[in-house]
């Protein structure tokens, strides 16, 4: 097993850095899922173990953590890619889901609010959206997403709400997460969104290529604010705050109505942000 892994995969991935329930940092490097105790600067791992162990054998290109911070999901590159679930406290394997031969990898993944479902996007000649029921282990047949480049998936954090959104180069689409059914109309067609997050009331905030945060309620736009001078690459909403990071090398802290509370200058463009209490973790594009 490795002793210490340096770096962070941020140059071509987004939203892959999270605090766990134990306040460790969870993120990917190569084919490893990292559990970093930042106070002691020590690590545990998912992967890097003896041959035959359940683990990734190709680079991890997406990572999500359940809302309670207990379980991580990681997806890898490769012609027969897998999504692995593992414990954020120990790195111990829980279960895996594999796609058929012929894919190129799992590009994005996300947990539902209750942790009972995982949505993920397969990147191939045609992108497909899949849904897994964690309890029954039923994998819903993939829904094609045409040629859209999907930058992420995010679920509503509102209790009992099964809505989630996919976002990317051609706007944002809201889905009913029990049946993979789209809401009647895709939203903001032609806009590029690199990041999005829901708050606990089911409102969605999305960061655009042009530096604006768009706000959605019931799959409809209700507000827009230009906040960054450049593309917004990372965004997270919780505890009545919206924290965003952009190509202008600024991290901004807003209230839910986008009143600016604080600013932080950073040395590189953020690709992932998470926070707990007064701690903010940032993964940038330099790794």
């Amino acid at each position: 097993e490795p002793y210490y892994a340096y770096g962070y995969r941020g140059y071509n991935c987004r939203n892959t850095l999270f605090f766990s329930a134990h306040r460790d940092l969870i993120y990917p490097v190569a084919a490893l899922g990292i559990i970093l105790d930042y106070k002691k600067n020590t690590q545990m791992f998912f992967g890097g173990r003896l041959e035959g162990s359940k683990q990734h054998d190709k680079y991890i290109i997406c990572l999500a953590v359940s809302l309670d911070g207990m379980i991580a999901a990681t997806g890898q590159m490769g012609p027969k890619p897998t999504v692995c679930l593992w414990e954020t406290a120990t790195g111990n394997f829980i279960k895996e889901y594999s796609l058929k031969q012929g894919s190129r990898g799992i590009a994005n993944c996300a947990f539902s609010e209750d942790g009972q479902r995982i949505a993920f996007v397969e990147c191939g000649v045609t992108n497909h959206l899949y849904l897994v029921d964690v309890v029954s282990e039923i994998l819903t047949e993939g829904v094609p997403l045409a040629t859209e480049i999907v930058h992420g998936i995010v679920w509503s954090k509102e209790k009992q709400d099964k809505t989630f959104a996919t976002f990317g180069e051609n706007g944002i689409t809201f889905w009913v997460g029990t049946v993979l059914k789209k809401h009647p109309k895709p939203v903001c067609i032609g806009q590029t969104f690199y990041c999005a997050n829901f708050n606990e009331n089911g409102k969605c905030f999305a960061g655009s290529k042009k530096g604006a945060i768009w706000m959605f309620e019931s799959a409809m736009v209700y507000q827009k604010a230009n906040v960054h001078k450049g593309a917004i690459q990372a965004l997270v909403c919780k505890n009545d705050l919206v924290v965003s990071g952009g190509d202008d090398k600024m991290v901004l802290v807003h209230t839910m109505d986008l009143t600016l509370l604080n600013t932080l200058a950073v040395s590189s463009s953020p690709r992932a942000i998470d926070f707990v209490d007064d701690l903010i973790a940032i993964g940038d594009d330099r790794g």
Side-chain angles (χ1 to χ4, degrees):
E1 184 169 311
Y3 176 72
Y4 201 95
Y6 292 90
Y8 163 74
R9 190 182 181 98
Y11 70 95
N12 65 347
C13 299
R14 294 181 177 86
N15 304 310
T16 54
L17 173 68
F18 298 88
F19 281 102
S20 74
H22 307 281
R23 295 198 176 192
D24 295 321
L25 286 170
I26 311 298
Y27 59 94
V29 174
L32 299 174
I34 309 298
I35 305 167
L36 173 67
D37 182 332
Y38 63 88
K39 291 182 179 178
K40 298 179 181 178
N41 196 24
T42 58
Q43 295 177 338
M44 293 186 291
F45 307 94
F46 171 69
R49 302 179 183 181
L50 295 175
E51 188 174 349
S53 300
K54 293 289 187 179
Q55 58 190 348
H56 291 291
D57 58 3
K58 304 289 184 184
Y59 288 148
I60 294 170
I61 55 175
C62 65
L63 182 149
V65 171
S66 58
L67 199 57
D68 64 8
M70 299 295 290
I71 307 297
T74 41
Q76 70 174 62
M77 300 172 65
K80 191 178 179 181
T82 59
V83 175
C84 292
L85 303 189
W86 45 278
E87 297 175 356
T88 60
T90 63
N92 289 340
F93 172 83
I94 299 174
K95 60 182 68 175
E96 69 178 4
Y97 308 96
S98 297
L99 296 183
K100 297 177 181 178
Q101 191 80 21
S103 176
R104 295 178 182 174
I106 308 298
N108 315 101
C109 61
F111 283 94
S112 61
E113 172 269 330
D114 59 7
Q116 298 302 300
R117 293 177 176 84
I118 303 170
F120 62 91
V121 173
E122 164 206 14
C123 52
V125 177
T126 301
N127 297 322
H128 283 76
L129 175 65
Y130 293 84
L131 187 67
V132 173
D133 187 301
V134 174
V135 177
S136 68
E137 299 192 13
I138 294 175
L139 176 64
T140 303
E141 189 65 29
V143 175
L145 297 176
T147 57
E148 297 176 14
I149 297 175
V150 178
H151 291 307
I153 310 174
V154 62
W155 287 77
S156 173
K157 297 175 187 171
E158 187 175 20
K159 295 289 185 182
Q160 307 303 316
D161 187 359
K162 304 306 179 188
T163 300
F164 70 92
T166 55
F167 53 90
E169 295 293 325
N170 195 32
I172 183 167
T173 301
F174 293 89
W175 301 77
V176 178
T178 53
V179 292
L180 283 187
K181 179 181 178 182
K182 289 183 181 181
H183 282 269
K185 294 181 180 180
V187 183
C188 299
I189 294 175
Q191 292 287 332
T192 295
F193 294 101
Y194 289 134
C195 51
N197 210 235
F198 282 85
N199 68 9
E200 289 80 0
N201 297 319
K203 295 179 180 178
C204 183
F205 296 72
S208 78
K209 183 178 181 179
K210 296 181 179 179
I213 294 179
W214 295 66
M215 290 159 282
F216 303 89
E217 187 171 16
S218 300
M220 300 292 290
V221 178
Y222 77 93
Q223 191 175 344
K224 172 191 170 186
N226 296 309
V227 296
H228 282 273
K229 297 176 181 178
I232 301 175
Q233 299 284 356
L235 183 148
V236 63
C237 306
K238 58 184 178 182
N239 302 336
D240 296 323
L241 297 175
V242 180
V243 181
S244 60
D247 282 346
D248 54 4
K249 300 180 182 179
M250 296 296 296
V251 173
L252 307 181
V253 181
H254 290 91
T255 62
M256 288 293 174
D257 63 1
L258 295 187
T259 299
L260 183 63
L261 295 178
N262 207 347
T263 64
L264 174 66
V266 292
S267 60
S268 188
S269 177
R271 287 296 187 270
I273 295 174
D274 197 14
F275 68 92
V276 58
D277 297 331
D278 58 349
L279 298 173
I280 296 179
I282 300 169
D284 66 24
D285 59 350
R286 300 181 304 174

